[in-house]
Amino acid sequence: MAAVQRLLRAAAPGGSATAAAAAAARRRMTSLAPSAAAGFPFAAEERVRRRPMAERNVQWVFLGCPGVGKGTYASRLSRLLGVPHIATGDLVRDELASTGPLAAQLAEIVNQGKLVSDEIIFNLLSKRLKKGEDQGESGFILDGFPRTVKQAEILDGVTDIDMVVNLKLREDVLLEKCLGRRICGQCGKNFNLACIDVKGENGLPAIYMEPLLPPNNCMSKLITRADDTEEVVRNRLRIYNDMSQPVEGFYREQGKLLEFDLPGGIPESWPKLLQVLNLEDQEELKLAAA
């Protein structure tokens, strides 16, 4: 897998602002070359070409515990920088809903409660990036992937990852946030009923997050995810922490890991994230991505 094509042209809608943001983002990147990995699980026709950093948009990874907000911040940055936001969970769901060659195999794996293999995940990811390249997309932000060092090594062998943003949040806040999640059974939108107001103590910062309340027409239709119980959430966080430490170390050794402690909800965290990414001067883009 590799970089896709050149930066979005300034002549495209919003292109000049997007190009400015992308240029600012590239100034934040390191120039370390990734290590190669052998045995790529891709057919030749599914691979896309590598391009020099100057000829493409950003290629970032977003990591973080379940419920930390990876999807929220990755999607905002994807709009700001003009790059696709790619979550492997979405790729699996899209394939399951399709009549593609992997749909039946995936359905059997999911129905049996098994983990989707690295080979299948990378095939789906490769196909998605190749499709984007053919359509003129540039760069990407991967959401919550890779999850293991093996996946990171394979990914390094087929594409260039410029930076890995690791979002962090106090575990007690994560727990409260996950337990407050609700989904509208009719429209499918996500909301959060938790109003988090945690005082700073024992060296941990104070955190305030306003609830994300639904409109009146959704209020009576809210449902709780079956796996959003305290026991299950604590177990998910424990498993994630055990698995993530080697991956974080892998990218830390490459000088690509940016650790970002969320100071609060979106109003507090979004401007600070833009600041550490050297995008804080893009005022019009802050509004466009909000």
Side-chain angles (χ1 to χ4, degrees), residues 124-222:
L124 293 175
L125 182 58
S126 178
K127 184 169 69 172
R128 170 64 183 83
L129 292 180
K130 184 64 169 65
K131 177 182 177 182
E133 181 185 50
D134 294 343
Q135 295 175 347
E137 286 181 350
S138 178
F140 54 78
I141 296 178
L142 296 182
D143 175 355
F145 184 87
R147 296 182 179 179
T148 67
V149 171
K150 178 184 176 182
Q151 291 175 348
E153 288 173 341
I154 296 174
L155 187 62
D156 261 7
V158 292
T159 193
D160 299 317
I161 298 301
D162 305 319
M163 182 166 61
V164 178
V165 181
N166 187 27
L167 298 181
K168 303 178 78 173
L169 188 62
R170 290 176 49 165
E171 185 167 321
D172 55 340
V173 174
L174 269 172
L175 178 62
E176 190 172 349
K177 186 179 177 190
C178 288
L179 296 180
R181 292 192 296 198
R182 298 292 187 275
I183 302 171
C184 177
Q186 181 173 335
C187 71
K189 291 184 178 179
N190 294 290
F191 303 99
N192 201 302
L193 305 184
C195 181
I196 299 172
D197 189 4
V198 180
K199 295 181 179 180
E201 57 184 2
N202 300 324
L204 297 175
I207 297 286
Y208 178 75
M209 294 183 176
E210 293 184 350
L212 180 60
L213 299 176
N216 291 334
N217 59 307
C218 291
M219 185 64 77
S220 62
K221 305 176 183 68
L222 295 183

Side-chain angles (χ1 to χ4, degrees), residues 5-66:
Q5 299 188 340
R6 299 181 64 88
L7 292 170
L8 297 179
R9 293 182 176 84
S16 59
T18 300
R26 284 197 301 274
R27 291 196 296 269
R28 180 65 180 82
M29 298 178 199
T30 67
S31 59
L32 296 177
S35 58
F40 311 148
F42 307 111
E45 67 272 12
E46 291 177 335
R47 298 181 191 165
V48 291
R49 295 172 295 163
R50 290 183 185 268
R51 289 187 183 274
M53 189 182 297
E55 295 183 5
R56 58 167 171 77
N57 213 323
V58 302
Q59 298 186 169
W60 290 352
V61 167
F62 264 61
L63 300 179
C65 289

Side-chain angles (χ1 to χ4, degrees), residues 86-97:
I86 302 173
T88 52
D90 292 340
L91 296 182
V92 170
R93 284 186 286 272
D94 290 345
E95 187 68 23
L96 281 169

